[in-house]
Every structure is written in structure tokens, then in C-alpha cells.
Amino acid sequence: LTSIQMLARVEKVFNREIELRAIFEFPVLKDFSAYVDRLTCPAQLATLRPIVPTSRDGDLPLSFAQQRLWFLAQMEGASAAYHIPFGLHLKGDLNRTALRRALDRIVVRHEVLRTTFALHDGEPAQEIGAIEASSFRLIEHDLCGHNEVEAELAALRGLEAGASFDLEAGPLIRGRLICLAEDEHVLLVTMHHIVSDGWSMGVLVGELNALYRAFLRGEADPLPELEIQYADYAVWQRQWIEGEILQQQAAYWKTTLAGAPALLELPTDHTRPVQRDFAGGFVELVLDEQLTAGLKDLSRRQGTTLYMTLLAGWAILLARLSGQQDVVIGSPVANRGRAEIENLIGFFVNTLVLHLDLSGSPRVSELLQQTKAQSLAAQRHQDIPFEQVVELAQPVRSLAHSPLFQVMFAWQNAVESSLELPGLELQPFEPSPHRVAKFDMTLSLQAAGDTIGGVIEYASALFEAASVHRYIGYFLALLKAMVADDAQTIDRLPMLSEGEREQVLYEWNETRAEFPSGKCVHELFEEQVRRSPQATAVAWEEEELSYGELNARANRLAHYLRELGVGPETRIGLMVERSIEMVVGLLGVLKSGAAYVPLDSGSARERLKYMLEDSGARLVLTSRSLSPMIREVAGPEVLLMEAEEWHRYSSEDPPVSIEPAQLAYVIYTSGSTGRPKGVGVEHRQLVNYVRAIGERLQIEAGMRLGLVSTYAADLGYTMIFPALCYGGCLDVVDAGRVLDASKLEEHFSRHPIDYLKIVPSHLSALLNSSEGSGLLPRRWLVLGGEASSWDLIQQVKQRGAGCQVLNHYGPTETTVGVLTYDTTQNDGGPQVGGMVPIGRPLSNGKVYVLDSELNPVGVGVSGEIYI
């Protein structure tokens, strides 16, 4: 078709609605012409029910959007979260009479600005105020000549921003005109969202321009009368959304949102509060000319709009930040698809819910096509208001976050009206001292010449500005990578800057430190024996052994085991009660060159049998009281710690050559994720851990370290080996005390300890059964084995013990633990209720957080830990 023929066909549908999707579905003029023909057929035109004036005699219903805000107001009370503020700094000759007349006239023109809301027979209804009794409520303040003008202006700004609206009494639009000098004013206008939206602000500004100019010249109102009002739209909307249209669109949203996640779990700086407070902040961003041009070119190649391309980039960022591949994003639409309502003030804006699936490593081009399809489908089904979509999807409801989605993307493409009043120089004035954030994060962008600019608005209860700045850097990097190669899979798109990559890979892993790599733990113990043979090495109840005595006993056992043929890496099962003999057994096995396999007498027989068979244990050392149990399951020979024969052997250190790379012990995991796994730990690994944790805790000779956990789990090794290698005293707490707060407190009152390592749940149970600080050590409390909460840290601090608290993390395979976090770095104030960080690696440990492609993720971004 020629251009002239095309124009003729388009002329047929002048003042008719052409859906956005048609531009994409019929890019060829011939096909678009056929679409226009179908659109103008009588049957199709009959379905486009016009919006017409309705009677004002009966009750006028609220629109669906108004109804939702009305219900929220009943539940939450008045909230500044639903205020739409506007502020201007005016310099020059202001005609206050013309301004007042213009504002009054706008209220007269638009019924919605004279509307209040009341219950009629239990249902909310619109009540439209009479023209004669309605005017714009403009309060004037004169600060001319005042000494504290800035402070008074700030106070008035805060007063205006914080003043609530009464939906039943009204008015729902108001303003303040503040005179700073004869030729300087500040105008503040505030509307409640229930009668306005962003587009409406443009309508108000446009009308204010025309009316002020006319009244300034003494002319009449130049604006044409409005054919319909917002109340007519509300009635039409409820008639339109029914029958077949309702069924079709409802089916779409139910299908689209089926299985959508209830919460996008972005990495936050603060724990999510139980109820949103809507306090927010914002960070600006700019996409430079080169990136903007690249995005336009990418959009042309893929047949997408800039909105769709940027939405896809935003979805990639959210997926990478959260580690979730199922992403739900809200997106506001002006919902002004009918010509009749373009010039009305009112609450028309609707919110589309876009459900994007980023699983399966799609290419950039594939995700763009999916985003395009989702966007067009959502546009096609936008007649159903968001409020009804929520009811259809029936998401999990929570006061802590919004339903269906927590993150938005807004593309501002409406023509903005700028206020131009004759004789006045106008500058924007921030109307509110506080930013409101209705969602966790909202990205708002718009074209600005050859660039794209905007802001990220964020909930300050969740995020710090520094984190949002970092996320902007990630977003820009992803967009650049998308532009560079749309054939890449999205999970391979680079996101980190060179500086941050250097930081997370190298700077934070600068942990190299010298340690006695050529020695074994028992050799470090022997050095302590030579330094202080008379110092107490181990205590259990009232029994104590000095370093010299403990060494002598362990040596005798080692010589005995050697005579039985034990050598390097021979596995020896060790099952003894918590006592001094337990420590003798550990050291005796290590000194013999063998590797011990710790066994817990509380374990099931099947587990014990499996561990002995799987480890290939040759012997089992046990006590007389436990020997019947172990003989039931043990294939290997059973030796008693009380046996007379080994006590006759030499007390000298056995001359055993042990390589640091040989096994020190084999310890079994819990088996909570399958069968228990035996972890082999070498001497050099154990030595590195002992030296690293000893330096971290600043253990000194003579310090007392409490052992309240079983040696069959490596939790207790933070106390056992550092105590013996740094000249401390290991206090082995009797098993009968460790679960009884009063008995444990009584023991620690007689034998005060400097260090204690304990599982958080164990400590919490003890503290809940005790009121004092007698359960806590004097220097360091180490928490490990489970996630630690700030609530527990606060509980410890409230006891006034004065000890520092270290959170210690690491799987068994990394030798006890490799990460530590000193909780004194943060007082836990804003973190209460959340989990304590696991910290940074100890000496010679390297820790990375990587994505599914083994690329390093950014600070605070979800990924998998690699140690």
C-alpha cells in the first residue's frame, strides 16, 4: 500500500483505539491495513462501549483502584505513602489572585477533586461536593523578614508532607503558598492518590498554565468543558469488566501467575521488618550516549521497545542478585487507553504483573523475545485492575511485603507538562523531606535526549544507599554486555567491575601466613610440655593433669599401640566418655602415628558399625563401661583405656616419623543429607587451623578453655587442640552438666573459664534456664555448628559478662571451620532478628562466592560458597 492509501485507512479509525500489540503483530503495512479493516467493522465497533455521563442520583461506586486504597486506609490508617506531592520555587512577580482563581477553577472542572468517600449501606461510595461549596484549600504563609526563614520553610514543608487526608471529610487536594520575599514564593500542592496519579499531575500543570495566563490577562476560562468525569469512568469500568472479557482476562492472569514465588529475596543490608514503614531513599543513574545508542540498536535488531529491553536487563539483575530464576516484576501503566479520559484528573494508573522465567540459561535474544511476549500479553489483558489480579492469584499475604511482587520497573514515556507562568522563573522544589518507597526497589527510567536517566527508589528499612549504588554498577555492566553480544547466555554476562572483581577474588583472600607446616599437633603440644611441664593441661571435675603428666600417659599409650603394629595412617576407633582419658586417647593415637576415628557412644549401633567398616579401623580404644556396646558392632580388636599392660610402657616421646600430609583423624558428618561421610584431615591442616584460631582468639598460656561438646564432632576441636598447643588448660566438662544450666553454672563458678565454644541452640536453651552471666566465659564466646542470630548476641550482651562473641563457620571438610566474624564489629541494633554474618577466612583460607557458572558474584549477592 502507498502511504496515501495507508493514511486513508488510518483516518477510518481516528478516535478509535489501536492496541499496542498490533504494532508488533502487524509490522507489514498490508497486514496492518487488514487489522484496521477488522477494527472498523460494525461488530468490532459495537464491542467498544463508550464512556458516557451517568446519573448522579444514586450511589456512585469507587473504581477498583480507589476501592483498594480505601480498604488500605481502613486497615492501616492515614499514610503519607499515598500522597502525591508537587513543589515549585517561584521567583518574580506572582499574581496570587490569578493563582487562586486558577486552582479554584481546576477543582470546579474536575469532580474527583471535590469527591469524598463514605459508607452507604456498608459499601464505600463517592460523594461529589457541590461546585458552590468547593474551592482549592490554599494556605498562605508570610515569612518575609523572618530571621529563621530556612528553618521555618523546612518546618512547613515537613508539616505539609506529613499532614494526613481524611477520605470521608476531604478535601483530597490542598496546597500552601509560602512567601519568602516580595518576589519569591514556594508553592506546595499535595493530592491523595485516591483522586490522582502521575498523569494527572501533568493534566493539572497544563490546565494551571492556561488558566493562570488567562486570568492574569482578565480573560475567561479558555479550557473546553469536560464531556465526562472520573465517576463516569468508575461506573463504566465496572460494567466493562464483566462477562466474557472478565473470564478471558482472569484465565490469563491465573495461568500466568501460577507458581510465581511469593517473595523475591534480594540481598538486603537489614532484616525485613515485620511491617513495612514505607520510608525510602533514592539513587540517580544515567545511561550515557554510547550505551543508550547500543540499547536502541539492540532493540531494533530484536524487534523490542526500549522498555522491553531495559525490563529484561532489570530482570537479569534481580535474578543474579537473588539467586532466583523465577522473577516477578510490577510495572505501572497509565491506563489511559481511551481518548475520553486522557484529559481527566483521577486515579487511572494500573499495575501490570510480569512473570519472567530465566531458568535454563537462555540467550539474551531469547530472554528479550520472552519479555516482549510477556509485555504484550500483559498489555492485552490490562483491563482487569491490579486489585482483582491479586484476588485471582491469591498470593501469600504478609504485612512485611507487597503481594505478588516487591520490585517495580517504570518507563516514563508520557509527555511531561512544564509549568510556565508569565513573569516568573520556576524551579522544582522538593515537596517532602522524606522519600516514600512503596516497594523494596523501583527502577524508574526515561529517555532524556541521547541518554536515558532515572532513579532507583529503595526501602531504607532494607537497603543502604551504598548497596544500591553497587547494584546500579551491576545493572550498567549487564546492559553493556547485552549490547555487546545478544547471543550470550544471560548467566555468563559479566557483572562486576575490575575493581570489585579484584576485591572479592584477591583483596579479601589475602590470608597467607606462615605456620609450622613441618610439624604435627602433638609436636606442638610437646613443645609446651618442655616449656611448662608443671602447668595444668587438662581438668575434669576435680581431677587434673599437668602437661608433663598428660604427655607421659599419652606416650605410654603410643608406645603400646606401636608395639601392636600401628603406623602412619592406621585408623583407630576411639570411643570413651568425656573425661581426662579422652584427651589421653587422642594424643596417644596421634603420637603413635595413627589416625583416630572419634565415635560417640550415643550413636545408633548401625551408624557405629558403618563408620568402623567405612573407615577401615584396625583397632578400637574404649572404656570398660562402653566395651559391651562396641563389641556388638566392632569387627576390629577392642582395647581398654583401663588396661594395665600399656601403663608399663615408656613415658618418653616415641620416635615416630610422621609426614604433615598424613592423616590425623577421620571424622564423620551427621549424614543429614544422606549416608555419613568420612572426612580425612591431615596433620598440616589441623596445625594450620590451631595456629590460625589461636591467633584469632589471642589464646595465652594459663588460659582456661571449656569443652562442652562431644569430641566425635569437630566443634570441640576449637577448644581441645588450641588449649594444648598454646599452654592453656582444657576444662573437660562432665556430660552430666552440659545440658543442665544450674549444674554448669555451678561448675564454672568454681572453675571460671576464659573461652567457650558452643552450638547456638545449646547456648540459647541454657540462657533461657538461667538469669545470670555465670554460663559465659571471661574473654571469648565462640558460636559454631549452626547459624547464629543477633537476638542471641543481644541476649549474651544483656547478661553483662563482657566477653566478646565470635561467630565461627565452616564445613567439616575445611578442618573445623574456616570463617569467623567478630560480632563486636556491629552492635546488632538494626540487625536484631536476623542472622549473624559468617565473616572472612582464617589464615591460609580462601573463600569465594560464585554463581552457577563459577563466576564471582558481587558484594552481598547470592551465590554458592567455595572454600
Side-chain angles (χ1 to χ4, degrees), residues 680-756:
V681 174
E682 302 168 359
H683 284 276
R684 59 184 175 181
Q685 295 163 354
L686 185 57
V687 167
N688 181 72
Y689 173 74
V690 168
R691 178 55 55 91
I693 197 66
E695 292 176 351
R696 186 77 173 84
L697 296 175
Q698 299 175 310
I699 298 175
E700 301 172 6
M703 296 292 177
R704 197 174 184 97
L705 289 79
L707 178 67
V708 296
S709 58
T710 173
Y711 70 103
D714 59 5
L715 180 85
Y717 294 4
T718 306
M719 297 289 100
I720 295 174
F721 295 111
L724 300 175
C725 294
Y726 277 87
C729 172
L730 179 66
D731 185 339
V732 181
V733 181
D734 187 78
R737 296 182 181 275
V738 296
L739 299 178
D740 189 313
S742 61
K743 290 181 180 179
L744 189 59
E745 200 164 10
E746 184 272 332
H747 176 77
F748 286 160
S749 68
R750 290 185 293 109
H751 306 289
I753 57 169
D754 299 291
Y755 298 88
L756 176 67

Side-chain angles (χ1 to χ4, degrees), residues 370-384:
Q370 181 196 153
T371 306
K372 174 181 173 179
Q374 281 285 327
S375 300
L376 293 175
Q379 287 275 354
R380 212 161 42 240
H381 298 89
Q382 68 170 303
D383 294 314
I384 288 190

Side-chain angles (χ1 to χ4, degrees), residues 842-856:
L842 292 168
S843 298
N844 298 311
K846 286 182 169 59
V847 178
Y848 307 97
V849 182
L850 308 179
D851 63 19
S852 60
E853 295 295 317
L854 303 187
N855 295 312

Side-chain angles (χ1 to χ4, degrees), residues 571 597 599 606-618 633 636 663 666-669 675-680:
R571 267 79 77 198
V597 182
L599 306 171
E606 295 77 13
R607 176 181 170 87
L608 293 173
K609 183 176 182 181
Y610 169 76
M611 291 165 63
L612 289 171
E613 292 175 351
D614 186 66
S615 66
R618 179 178 162 185
V633 298
L663 285 179
V666 176
I667 194 164
Y668 279 78
T669 61
R675 300 186 75 179
K677 299 174 183 66
V679 177

Side-chain angles (χ1 to χ4, degrees), residues 300-343:
R300 280 192 292 269
R301 294 199 309 270
Q302 293 296 329
T304 57
T305 63
L306 271 176
Y307 164 83
M308 297 169 185
T309 302
L310 291 164
L311 173 63
W314 183 233
I316 295 172
L317 175 66
L318 298 176
R320 295 278 283 272
L321 289 178
S322 65
Q324 295 172 236
Q325 296 179 321
D326 210 7
V327 176
V328 182
I329 302 171
S331 187
V333 289
N335 200 26
R336 302 269 183 157
R338 300 297 298 253
E340 306 101 301
I341 61 176
E342 285 186 3
N343 296 320

Side-chain angles (χ1 to χ4, degrees), residues 434-498:
H434 304 293
R435 191 84 174 192
V436 172
K438 297 175 188 172
F439 303 95
D440 292 1
M441 277 201 290
T442 298
L443 171 63
S444 297
L445 295 175
Q446 62 182 358
D450 293 330
T451 64
I452 294 171
V455 299
I456 289 185
E457 185 180 85
Y458 62 90
S460 52
L462 299 177
F463 303 99
E464 293 291 334
S467 296
V468 180
H469 275 289
R470 201 163 53 244
Y471 298 160
I472 288 173
Y474 299 157
F475 182 54
L476 296 179
L478 288 169
L479 292 178
K480 290 174 183 176
M482 290 170 63
V483 165
D485 183 6
D486 55 12
Q488 290 184 86
T489 58
I490 61 172
D491 48 14
R492 287 184 177 273
L493 296 175
M495 194 168 80
L496 303 188
S497 66
E498 285 302 314

Side-chain angles (χ1 to χ4, degrees), residues 350-371:
N350 196 13
T351 303
L352 302 184
V353 187
L354 301 161
H355 187 188
L356 297 173
D357 180 6
L358 284 76
S359 63
S361 301
R363 299 182 186 278
V364 171
S365 57
E366 293 169 339
L367 179 62
L368 285 172
Q369 295 308 310
Q370 181 196 153
T371 306

